[in-house]
Amino acid sequence: MNEGLPAAPPLPDPTLVQTGRHCCRLSEQLEAIRALANAETVPLGEVVKALGTRGHTVLAVLLALPFLQPVPLVGLSTPVGAAIAILGVLMALGLPPWLPQAWLRRPISARQVVRVVQFGQALIRKLERFIRPRGEWFHRHPWAHGIAGIILAVSGTQLALPLPIVFTNTLPALVIVTTAVGMLEEDAILSAVGALLFLAAAVVFSAIVLLPLIGLRILL
């Protein structure tokens, strides 16, 4: 019945993400994660297992994507930010991805996984027109992953702060996504943009903490 029609391309194998840094582009890795959503729920541990050696950065991107909008997701940002901070510390120390067993056993709605992946793919595929390996020497430097891990850890901590202020989720999430994608695609320019955004976020969050204290001193 379907003779003469081209066969639909197969979905990427989730195990591809374990074969090395250059196995595929981030949009293809996200498609592999979407392929896991073949039931009503997906255990977070299955997602982490499928990500393999690139788990720190890909998982950080997945977790941060929902926060790329101006309205703070109070209550959700705290556990997600804490998870990203843990991943960043492990990445800085050169350790494999790890999250508490209680979190890994937690089921995630397959519909939510598909929604996040589709949003991420739409965004990443647009960016992939401009993102390409540039300055690979930087990403192969022994300190590169350590620096990126520190940025992810600090930005995850900022994301975890329960601040009901517009853009206080968006800015650290943007730092996380930019830094992680820059590392995944080995694009030193994108990594530099992530570093600049990180400095801007540091200024903003320092102001949020310090300005009330300075105001109180003036009043006193």
Side-chain angles (χ1 to χ4, degrees):
M1 182 178 295
N2 294 326
E3 292 183 3
L5 294 178
L11 291 175
D13 185 349
T15 58
L16 281 176
V17 295
Q18 300 184 33
T19 62
R21 283 189 306 179
H22 303 287
C23 62
C24 52
R25 305 208 72 177
L26 178 55
S27 59
E28 295 171 342
Q29 288 188 296
L30 292 178
E31 182 64 21
I33 298 305
R34 190 195 67 79
L36 294 174
N38 53 11
E40 291 186 5
T41 60
V42 181
L44 180 58
E46 290 298 317
V47 176
V48 175
K49 181 180 178 181
L51 293 177
T53 57
R54 300 177 69 171
H56 303 94
T57 42
V58 180
L59 189 55
V61 171
L62 281 172
L63 293 174
L65 280 174
F67 299 92
L68 292 180
Q69 46 90 28
V71 181
L73 301 177
V74 180
L76 181 60
S77 64
T78 298
V80 170
I84 294 174
I86 292 173
L87 292 170
V89 171
L90 294 174
M91 182 177 175
L93 296 175
L95 299 175
W98 176 89
L99 290 174
Q101 286 297 320
W103 293 9
L104 295 176
R105 289 192 297 266
R106 184 172 181 177
I108 306 173
S109 168
R111 183 177 299 179
Q112 290 180 339
V113 172
V114 171
R115 186 180 303 169
V116 171
V117 167
Q118 287 178 339
F119 171 73
Q121 286 179 317
L123 175 63
I124 298 300
R125 280 172 177 162
K126 290 179 181 178
L127 294 177
E128 282 179 348
R129 301 174 187 174
F130 311 99
I131 300 172
R132 61 182 182 275
R134 287 175 287 194
E136 293 97 326
W137 60 268
F138 169 76
H139 295 283
R140 296 194 177 107
H141 193 281
W143 287 99
H145 282 75
I147 293 172
I150 292 172
I151 291 176
L152 292 181
V154 174
S155 299
T157 302
Q158 293 171 341
L159 183 62
L161 296 176
L163 300 174
I165 305 174
V166 176
F167 294 113
T168 52
N169 283 172
T170 307
L171 188 52
L174 188 59
V175 174
I176 292 165
V177 172
T178 305
T179 301
V181 174
M183 292 300 297
L184 287 167
E185 301 290 345
E186 292 193 343
D187 190 335
I189 293 179
L190 188 62
S191 296
V193 172
L196 292 175
L197 291 171
F198 174 70
L199 294 176
V203 172
V204 170
F205 278 84
S206 296
I208 291 174
V209 173
L210 294 177
L211 287 180
L213 297 177
I214 295 174
L216 287 176
R217 288 185 179 181
I218 293 176
L219 292 175
L220 293 176

XYZ file of all heavy atoms in Angstrom, residues 75-172:
764
model
N 8.349 28.043 43.390
C 8.022 26.710 43.870
C 8.651 25.637 43.008
O 9.138 24.633 43.520
N 8.663 25.870 41.701
C 9.291 24.915 40.788
C 10.761 25.243 40.579
O 11.584 24.343 40.398
C 8.561 24.929 39.440
C 9.063 23.963 38.366
C 8.960 22.522 38.856
C 8.286 24.148 37.070
N 11.089 26.532 40.639
C 12.466 26.940 40.371
C 13.439 26.446 41.447
O 14.608 26.192 41.144
C 12.555 28.462 40.259
O 12.212 29.081 41.483
N 12.973 26.289 42.675
C 13.870 25.891 43.764
C 14.421 24.478 43.582
O 15.644 24.288 43.580
C 13.166 26.028 45.119
O 12.816 27.408 45.323
C 14.092 25.570 46.252
N 13.589 23.440 43.403
C 14.169 22.103 43.193
C 14.933 21.973 41.880
O 15.962 21.302 41.824
C 12.947 21.177 43.225
C 11.776 22.040 42.915
C 12.119 23.381 43.466
N 14.437 22.620 40.820
C 15.124 22.546 39.530
C 16.479 23.247 39.616
O 17.496 22.727 39.139
C 14.256 23.166 38.417
C 15.062 23.301 37.128
C 13.023 22.315 38.172
N 16.500 24.427 40.232
C 17.762 25.146 40.399
C 18.760 24.357 41.233
O 19.958 24.325 40.931
N 18.259 23.690 42.288
C 19.136 22.866 43.124
C 19.721 21.708 42.328
O 20.911 21.378 42.458
C 18.356 22.346 44.331
N 18.893 21.091 41.474
C 19.374 19.980 40.643
C 20.468 20.461 39.688
O 21.499 19.784 39.508
C 18.217 19.371 39.867
N 20.264 21.620 39.067
C 21.265 22.156 38.140
C 22.548 22.518 38.892
O 23.656 22.299 38.392
C 20.704 23.384 37.397
C 19.547 22.961 36.480
C 21.801 24.082 36.579
C 18.828 24.120 35.805
N 22.398 23.057 40.102
C 23.576 23.386 40.903
C 24.389 22.133 41.220
O 25.627 22.146 41.156
C 23.146 24.092 42.199
N 23.705 21.035 41.555
C 24.391 19.769 41.829
C 25.138 19.288 40.585
O 26.311 18.887 40.653
C 23.387 18.700 42.302
C 22.835 19.059 43.679
C 24.051 17.318 42.348
C 21.710 18.156 44.142
N 24.463 19.338 39.439
C 25.089 18.919 38.191
C 26.321 19.779 37.874
O 27.336 19.271 37.391
C 24.082 19.000 37.044
C 22.919 18.007 37.092
C 21.872 18.361 36.036
C 23.420 16.586 36.870
N 26.215 21.085 38.138
C 27.341 21.978 37.882
C 28.540 21.652 38.761
O 29.685 21.652 38.291
N 28.296 21.372 40.042
C 29.388 21.016 40.963
C 30.062 19.727 40.496
O 31.297 19.627 40.466
C 28.861 20.868 42.400
C 29.937 20.279 43.308
C 28.408 22.218 42.949
N 29.269 18.725 40.135
C 29.827 17.451 39.674
C 30.627 17.635 38.388
O 31.688 17.030 38.208
C 28.696 16.444 39.435
C 27.932 15.996 40.691
C 26.754 15.117 40.312
C 28.854 15.270 41.656
N 30.112 18.487 37.495
C 30.822 18.762 36.250
C 32.154 19.447 36.536
O 33.180 19.117 35.929
C 29.950 19.638 35.350
C 30.568 19.951 33.995
S 29.416 20.907 32.969
C 30.456 21.242 31.545
N 32.157 20.403 37.467
C 33.386 21.116 37.814
C 34.414 20.172 38.423
O 35.627 20.348 38.227
C 33.068 22.258 38.776
N 33.936 19.155 39.152
C 34.831 18.196 39.797
C 35.210 17.034 38.887
O 35.987 16.148 39.279
C 34.176 17.645 41.069
C 33.912 18.667 42.184
C 33.162 18.015 43.329
C 35.231 19.276 42.679
N 34.634 17.011 37.678
C 34.932 15.935 36.756
C 34.263 14.622 37.102
O 34.729 13.550 36.714
N 33.156 14.689 37.832
C 32.430 13.492 38.248
C 31.224 13.266 37.339
O 30.695 14.215 36.757
C 31.972 13.631 39.699
C 33.101 13.792 40.736
C 32.525 14.051 42.116
C 33.990 12.553 40.748
N 30.743 12.028 37.205
C 29.586 11.753 36.338
C 28.309 12.347 36.905
O 28.234 12.668 38.107
C 29.524 10.218 36.313
C 30.213 9.790 37.565
C 31.292 10.802 37.805
N 27.290 12.519 36.076
C 26.015 13.078 36.546
C 25.439 12.236 37.682
O 25.485 11.008 37.652
C 25.113 13.012 35.302
C 26.055 12.942 34.153
C 27.253 12.201 34.639
N 24.897 12.909 38.680
C 24.287 12.231 39.819
C 23.189 13.110 40.392
O 23.329 14.332 40.480
C 25.317 11.940 40.906
C 24.718 11.324 42.147
C 24.537 9.998 42.403
C 24.204 12.016 43.296
N 23.942 9.817 43.631
C 23.715 11.041 44.193
C 24.092 13.376 43.633
C 23.139 11.383 45.419
C 23.521 13.707 44.850
C 23.051 12.720 45.731
N 22.089 12.492 40.739
C 21.009 13.157 41.445
C 20.505 12.196 42.519
O 20.674 10.977 42.398
C 19.868 13.518 40.485
C 20.144 14.634 39.476
C 18.982 14.765 38.496
C 20.402 15.971 40.173
N 19.888 12.703 43.594
C 19.362 11.817 44.637
C 18.412 10.763 44.068
O 17.661 11.036 43.131
C 18.640 12.783 45.576
C 19.315 14.099 45.370
C 19.697 14.124 43.913
N 18.466 9.548 44.630
C 17.631 8.452 44.140
C 16.150 8.805 44.168
O 15.389 8.390 43.290
C 17.891 7.193 44.975
C 19.215 6.515 44.672
C 19.284 6.015 43.250
O 18.306 5.493 42.705
N 20.443 6.171 42.615
N 15.745 9.569 45.173
C 14.329 9.957 45.257
C 13.922 10.784 44.046
O 12.787 10.675 43.559
C 14.076 10.742 46.547
N 14.832 11.614 43.543
C 14.548 12.416 42.357
C 14.556 11.542 41.109
O 13.727 11.712 40.218
C 15.587 13.526 42.204
C 15.535 14.569 43.269
C 14.786 14.530 44.415
C 16.255 15.800 43.299
N 15.019 15.654 45.165
C 15.914 16.450 44.509
C 17.174 16.403 42.452
C 16.446 17.680 44.872
C 17.707 17.631 42.811
C 17.334 18.258 44.006
N 15.515 10.593 41.041
C 15.627 9.745 39.858
C 14.415 8.835 39.692
O 14.040 8.486 38.578
C 16.903 8.900 39.937
C 18.226 9.678 39.902
C 19.393 8.727 40.075
C 18.367 10.469 38.611
N 13.813 8.441 40.826
C 12.637 7.566 40.754
C 11.360 8.342 40.462
O 10.326 7.743 40.167
C 12.472 6.794 42.068
C 13.524 5.724 42.293
C 13.133 4.816 43.435
N 13.054 5.549 44.693
C 14.050 5.638 45.564
N 15.201 5.029 45.319
N 13.915 6.314 46.681
N 11.442 9.639 40.542
C 10.246 10.459 40.372
C 9.768 10.424 38.923
O 10.528 10.716 37.992
C 10.526 11.898 40.782
C 9.297 12.797 40.735
C 9.592 14.146 41.335
N 8.415 15.001 41.325
C 8.370 16.212 41.843
N 9.440 16.715 42.417
N 7.260 16.921 41.796
N 8.513 10.051 38.688
C 8.007 10.011 37.307
C 7.704 11.414 36.785
O 7.219 12.278 37.520
C 6.733 9.169 37.430
C 6.269 9.399 38.834
C 7.514 9.567 39.661
N 7.997 11.624 35.528
C 7.705 12.887 34.859
C 6.651 12.615 33.796
O 6.727 11.609 33.084
C 8.964 13.480 34.204
C 10.101 13.600 35.217
C 8.673 14.839 33.590
C 11.408 14.024 34.598
N 5.682 13.492 33.698
C 4.648 13.329 32.683
C 5.281 13.314 31.295
O 6.067 14.199 30.942
C 3.633 14.467 32.785
O 2.781 14.489 31.659
N 4.943 12.283 30.515
C 5.472 12.190 29.155
C 5.042 13.399 28.328
O 5.797 13.870 27.470
C 4.989 10.891 28.492
N 3.850 13.902 28.592
C 3.370 15.078 27.870
C 4.261 16.281 28.158
O 4.576 17.070 27.250
C 1.927 15.380 28.279
C 1.308 16.551 27.539
C -0.147 16.738 27.932
N -0.948 15.560 27.604
C -2.245 15.461 27.866
N -2.883 16.455 28.464
N -2.895 14.368 27.527
N 4.704 16.421 29.426
C 5.587 17.526 29.766
C 6.946 17.358 29.107
O 7.547 18.335 28.636
C 5.744 17.616 31.284
C 4.496 18.070 32.018
C 4.704 18.140 33.508
O 5.610 17.516 34.056
N 3.856 18.891 34.190
N 7.443 16.118 29.063
C 8.724 15.860 28.403
C 8.656 16.256 26.938
O 9.529 16.953 26.424
C 9.113 14.371 28.538
C 10.345 14.065 27.685
C 9.381 14.015 29.993
N 7.588 15.831 26.260
C 7.430 16.150 24.834
C 7.315 17.656 24.638
O 7.912 18.227 23.713
C 6.192 15.429 24.262
C 5.898 15.914 22.852
C 6.405 13.917 24.272
N 6.570 18.319 25.519
C 6.380 19.768 25.390
C 7.706 20.516 25.534
O 8.026 21.413 24.739
C 5.381 20.240 26.444
C 4.983 21.707 26.315
C 3.984 22.065 27.400
N 2.801 21.203 27.344
C 1.873 21.152 28.291
N 2.000 21.905 29.381
N 0.830 20.367 28.166
N 8.494 20.135 26.548
C 9.778 20.795 26.772
C 10.728 20.518 25.614
O 11.420 21.414 25.123
C 10.399 20.329 28.106
C 11.838 20.831 28.234
C 9.573 20.830 29.282
N 10.755 19.257 25.149
C 11.652 18.890 24.047
C 11.269 19.632 22.773
O 12.140 20.139 22.054
C 11.623 17.370 23.821
C 12.281 17.015 22.495
C 12.337 16.661 24.962
N 9.990 19.720 22.479
C 9.562 20.423 21.269
C 9.932 21.895 21.319
O 10.383 22.468 20.320
C 8.054 20.251 21.077
C 7.652 18.855 20.630
C 6.153 18.696 20.505
O 5.370 19.459 21.095
N 5.717 17.694 19.746
N 9.742 22.510 22.480
C 10.142 23.915 22.647
C 11.648 24.054 22.464
O 12.129 24.956 21.772
C 9.722 24.430 24.017
C 10.268 25.793 24.351
C 9.769 26.929 23.747
C 11.299 25.933 25.273
C 10.278 28.195 24.049
C 11.812 27.174 25.587
C 11.304 28.307 24.971
N 12.397 23.140 23.089
C 13.851 23.196 22.984
C 14.334 22.984 21.567
O 15.246 23.682 21.101
N 13.722 22.036 20.855
C 14.128 21.781 19.477
C 13.857 22.978 18.576
O 14.689 23.334 17.736
C 13.397 20.551 18.933
C 13.917 19.234 19.482
C 13.149 18.051 18.936
O 11.929 18.078 18.848
N 13.851 17.004 18.568
N 12.706 23.601 18.753
C 12.383 24.771 17.937
C 13.399 25.886 18.161
O 13.838 26.558 17.207
C 10.970 25.262 18.268
N 13.800 26.067 19.423
C 14.768 27.113 19.750
C 16.169 26.741 19.267
O 16.845 27.537 18.594
C 14.781 27.341 21.262
C 15.821 28.335 21.800
C 15.552 29.730 21.257
C 15.809 28.349 23.329
N 16.591 25.513 19.578
C 17.951 25.097 19.250
C 18.171 25.018 17.747
O 19.225 25.403 17.231
C 18.267 23.741 19.907
C 18.198 23.871 21.440
C 19.644 23.242 19.490
C 19.161 24.874 22.033
N 17.155 24.541 16.998
C 17.328 24.416 15.549
C 17.499 25.782 14.889
O 18.186 25.905 13.874
C 16.143 23.665 14.951
C 16.272 22.151 15.149
C 15.039 21.408 14.752
N 15.228 19.964 14.887
C 14.253 19.080 14.946
N 12.986 19.501 14.891
N 14.503 17.803 15.082
N 16.858 26.803 15.452
C 17.070 28.150 14.934
C 18.491 28.612 15.241
O 19.153 29.224 14.400
C 16.054 29.117 15.548
C 14.621 28.895 15.071
C 13.674 29.871 15.747
C 12.231 29.636 15.294
N 11.281 30.557 15.979
N 18.956 28.295 16.452
C 20.293 28.718 16.852
C 21.383 27.942 16.122
O 22.476 28.471 15.902
C 20.464 28.545 18.371
C 19.601 29.438 19.264
C 19.818 29.098 20.724
C 19.916 30.915 19.017
N 21.088 26.686 15.744
C 22.100 25.857 15.102
C 22.525 26.396 13.734
O 23.554 25.984 13.207
C 21.584 24.424 14.964
C 21.671 23.641 16.268
C 21.140 22.226 16.145
O 20.490 21.916 15.125
O 21.354 21.446 17.084
N 21.741 27.327 13.181
C 22.159 27.969 11.938
C 23.407 28.823 12.165
O 24.181 29.060 11.238
C 21.038 28.851 11.390
C 19.735 28.102 11.108
C 18.645 29.081 10.712
N 17.338 28.444 10.595
C 16.201 29.097 10.372
N 16.227 30.424 10.217
N 15.059 28.440 10.294
N 23.567 29.294 13.395
C 24.673 30.200 13.710
C 25.720 29.547 14.605
O 26.849 30.024 14.689
C 24.133 31.461 14.397
C 22.972 32.097 13.683
C 21.660 31.870 14.092
C 23.187 32.906 12.580
C 20.590 32.453 13.436
C 22.121 33.493 11.908
C 20.815 33.255 12.334
N 25.336 28.468 15.299
C 26.255 27.796 16.213
C 27.045 26.739 15.453
O 26.488 25.960 14.704
C 25.481 27.117 17.369
C 24.695 28.158 18.162
C 26.433 26.367 18.288
C 23.765 27.544 19.187
N 28.348 26.740 15.645
C 29.204 25.724 15.043
C 30.482 25.631 15.873
O 30.785 26.544 16.650
C 29.530 26.082 13.598
C 30.274 27.395 13.430
C 30.519 27.699 11.966
N 31.275 28.932 11.772
C 30.741 30.145 11.732
N 29.429 30.276 11.890
N 31.492 31.210 11.545
N 31.217 24.543 15.729
C 32.470 24.420 16.479
C 33.433 25.557 16.157
O 33.855 25.722 15.011
C 33.027 23.064 16.012
C 31.823 22.306 15.571
C 30.903 23.331 14.967
N 33.736 26.347 17.157
C 34.690 27.454 17.015
C 35.519 27.520 18.291
O 34.959 27.538 19.381
C 33.963 28.786 16.804
C 33.340 28.933 15.428
C 32.544 30.199 15.296
N 31.282 30.126 16.030
C 30.274 30.976 15.871
N 30.384 31.963 15.004
N 29.160 30.842 16.579
N 36.818 27.546 18.147
C 37.675 27.589 19.322
C 37.663 26.286 20.089
O 37.553 26.280 21.310
N 37.756 25.159 19.341
C 37.747 23.862 20.008
C 38.858 23.749 21.039
O 38.729 23.020 22.019
C 37.891 22.736 18.980
C 36.698 22.586 18.051
C 36.918 23.295 16.736
O 37.586 24.352 16.745
O 36.424 22.795 15.703
N 39.969 24.461 20.832
C 41.093 24.410 21.768
C 40.632 24.814 23.163
O 41.112 24.268 24.166
C 42.205 25.351 21.294
C 41.763 26.792 21.195
C 41.262 27.421 20.105
C 41.756 27.759 22.257
N 40.932 28.724 20.395
C 41.229 28.962 21.712
C 42.145 27.742 23.585
C 41.091 30.120 22.465
C 42.002 28.902 24.351
C 41.477 30.073 23.784
N 39.690 25.777 23.239
C 39.206 26.223 24.543
C 38.446 25.095 25.244
O 38.641 24.833 26.431
C 38.302 27.447 24.380
C 37.552 27.802 25.638
C 38.182 28.434 26.693
C 36.207 27.481 25.764
C 37.486 28.747 27.858
C 35.504 27.790 26.918
C 36.150 28.425 27.969
N 37.580 24.409 24.495
C 36.754 23.374 25.101
C 37.557 22.130 25.451
O 37.121 21.333 26.278
C 35.605 23.018 24.161
C 34.658 24.158 23.944
N 33.714 24.524 24.868
C 34.535 25.037 22.913
C 33.036 25.563 24.418
N 33.515 25.896 23.247
N 38.719 21.973 24.839
C 39.553 20.819 25.165
C 40.567 21.153 26.256
O 41.332 20.277 26.669
C 40.265 20.330 23.903
C 39.272 19.827 22.852
C 39.951 19.027 21.758
N 38.922 18.514 20.838
C 38.715 18.972 19.623
N 39.436 19.963 19.158
N 37.770 18.460 18.865
N 40.559 22.393 26.712
C 41.455 22.776 27.815
C 40.967 22.106 29.097
O 39.761 21.996 29.337
C 41.452 24.297 27.979
C 42.555 24.791 28.867
N 42.483 24.731 30.237
C 43.758 25.342 28.570
C 43.598 25.228 30.760
N 44.383 25.598 29.762
N 41.892 21.640 29.946
C 41.486 20.953 31.183
C 40.563 21.767 32.076
O 39.757 21.198 32.822
C 42.830 20.690 31.876
C 43.845 20.657 30.775
C 43.358 21.638 29.763
N 40.658 23.098 31.996
C 39.849 23.946 32.870
C 38.484 24.281 32.286
O 37.641 24.849 32.977
C 40.599 25.245 33.167
C 41.738 25.059 34.118
C 43.060 24.924 33.801
C 41.670 24.966 35.538
N 43.811 24.763 34.932
C 42.992 24.796 36.016
C 40.616 25.032 36.454
C 43.284 24.669 37.370
C 40.913 24.902 37.811
C 42.224 24.725 38.253
N 38.250 23.978 31.017
C 37.022 24.415 30.348
C 35.774 23.876 31.041
O 34.843 24.633 31.353
C 37.042 23.986 28.880
N 35.723 22.570 31.278
C 34.547 21.985 31.913
C 34.422 22.426 33.366
O 33.308 22.547 33.891
C 34.596 20.458 31.823
C 34.207 19.933 30.478
N 35.047 20.014 29.381
C 33.064 19.339 30.035
C 34.434 19.488 28.331
N 33.247 19.080 28.689
N 35.558 22.673 34.013
C 35.508 23.161 35.389
C 34.873 24.536 35.480
O 34.023 24.793 36.347
N 35.284 25.434 34.562
C 34.721 26.782 34.547
C 33.236 26.740 34.227
O 32.417 27.396 34.879
C 35.470 27.656 33.516
C 36.916 27.879 33.972
C 34.754 28.998 33.327
C 37.785 28.558 32.931
N 32.855 25.937 33.212
C 31.443 25.817 32.851
C 30.642 25.226 34.007
O 29.508 25.646 34.265
C 31.293 24.950 31.606
N 31.220 24.254 34.713
C 30.534 23.666 35.861
C 30.273 24.676 36.964
O 29.192 24.694 37.567
N 31.252 25.532 37.218
C 31.076 26.578 38.241
C 29.960 27.537 37.827
O 29.115 27.927 38.648
C 32.400 27.335 38.457
C 33.430 26.418 39.117
C 32.168 28.588 39.316
C 34.823 27.005 39.189
N 29.946 27.922 36.546
C 28.896 28.822 36.058
C 27.526 28.174 36.217
O 26.562 28.814 36.668
C 29.156 29.202 34.587
C 30.395 30.105 34.488
C 27.938 29.903 33.977
C 30.787 30.456 33.061
N 27.406 26.891 35.876
C 26.129 26.189 36.017
C 25.728 26.091 37.493
O 24.548 26.252 37.833
C 26.219 24.788 35.409
C 26.374 24.700 33.894
C 26.423 23.240 33.453
C 25.247 25.423 33.169
N 26.707 25.820 38.371
C 26.399 25.681 39.796
C 25.889 26.997 40.383
O 24.885 27.026 41.106
C 27.640 25.206 40.551
N 26.571 28.088 40.072
C 26.162 29.401 40.606
C 24.819 29.820 40.016
O 23.928 30.300 40.722
C 27.242 30.462 40.312
C 26.752 31.850 40.737
C 28.531 30.115 41.042
N 24.654 29.622 38.713
C 23.398 30.000 38.053
C 22.241 29.143 38.555
O 21.116 29.635 38.712
C 23.536 29.869 36.536
O 24.556 30.715 36.037
N 22.492 27.861 38.816
C 21.461 27.007 39.392
C 21.048 27.478 40.767
O 19.855 27.462 41.112
N 22.025 27.929 41.559
C 21.717 28.476 42.888
C 20.877 29.736 42.766
O 19.928 29.940 43.534
C 23.030 28.781 43.639
O 23.808 27.581 43.741
C 22.736 29.307 45.032
N 21.217 30.596 41.807
C 20.416 31.805 41.579
C 18.992 31.446 41.170
O 18.025 32.064 41.637
C 21.070 32.665 40.501
C 22.413 33.261 40.908
C 23.128 33.927 39.749
O 22.833 33.666 38.579
N 24.092 34.782 40.054
N 18.866 30.438 40.317
C 17.543 30.003 39.878
C 16.735 29.445 41.042
O 15.505 29.583 41.085
C 17.687 28.943 38.776
C 16.411 28.409 38.128
C 15.652 29.531 37.426
C 16.745 27.303 37.137
N 17.414 28.822 41.992
C 16.731 28.200 43.131
C 16.197 29.215 44.136
O 15.333 28.871 44.963
C 17.676 27.228 43.838
N 16.702 30.445 44.081
C 16.249 31.458 45.049
C 14.777 31.780 44.813
O 14.372 32.091 43.697
C 17.092 32.729 44.909
C 18.583 32.590 45.239
C 19.304 33.898 44.952
C 18.773 32.177 46.690
N 13.944 31.719 45.858
C 12.499 31.994 45.702
C 12.216 33.490 45.634
O 11.675 34.093 46.560
C 11.894 31.359 46.960
C 12.980 31.479 47.988
C 14.285 31.337 47.250
N 12.565 34.099 44.509
C 12.378 35.540 44.335
C 11.217 35.800 43.374
O 11.320 35.491 42.188
C 13.659 36.187 43.776
C 14.920 36.046 44.635
C 16.122 36.600 43.881
C 14.739 36.772 45.960
N 10.126 36.355 43.859
C 8.974 36.644 42.975
C 9.173 37.935 42.184
O 8.340 38.838 42.211
C 7.814 36.762 43.968
C 8.457 37.300 45.205
C 9.850 36.700 45.260
N 10.289 38.022 41.481
C 10.644 39.218 40.714
C 10.797 38.817 39.247
O 11.402 37.792 38.936
C 11.957 39.848 41.232
C 11.851 40.151 42.735
C 12.299 41.106 40.454
C 13.144 40.641 43.349
N 10.245 39.630 38.365
C 10.302 39.344 36.934
C 11.756 39.223 36.472
O 12.622 40.000 36.883
C 9.585 40.456 36.139
C 9.724 40.216 34.643
C 8.117 40.513 36.529
N 12.015 38.226 35.643
C 13.305 37.953 35.018
C 14.344 37.335 35.965
O 15.460 37.057 35.537
C 13.904 39.209 34.367
C 13.115 39.707 33.193
C 12.452 40.926 33.244
C 13.032 38.953 32.035
C 11.717 41.375 32.160
C 12.300 39.402 30.940
C 11.641 40.616 31.001
N 14.024 37.119 37.249
C 14.999 36.487 38.135
C 15.131 34.993 37.859
O 16.088 34.365 38.306
C 14.629 36.705 39.616
O 13.267 36.300 39.836
C 14.804 38.157 40.013
N 14.173 34.415 37.168
C 14.316 33.049 36.659
C 14.930 33.056 35.267
O 15.758 32.200 34.940
C 12.963 32.338 36.586
C 12.462 31.862 37.935
O 11.341 31.410 38.061
N 13.283 31.978 38.973
N 14.536 34.030 34.465
C 14.941 34.050 33.059
C 16.445 34.237 32.890
O 17.075 33.529 32.083
C 14.211 35.188 32.316
O 12.816 35.068 32.536
C 14.497 35.125 30.832
N 17.031 35.159 33.650
C 18.446 35.475 33.453
C 19.355 34.288 33.787
O 20.191 33.907 32.951
C 18.824 36.710 34.265
C 20.226 37.287 34.026
C 20.461 37.514 32.539
C 20.407 38.597 34.795
N 19.230 33.658 34.961
C 20.088 32.485 35.201
C 19.788 31.326 34.258
O 20.701 30.594 33.867
C 19.798 32.120 36.661
C 18.522 32.781 37.001
C 18.454 34.009 36.163
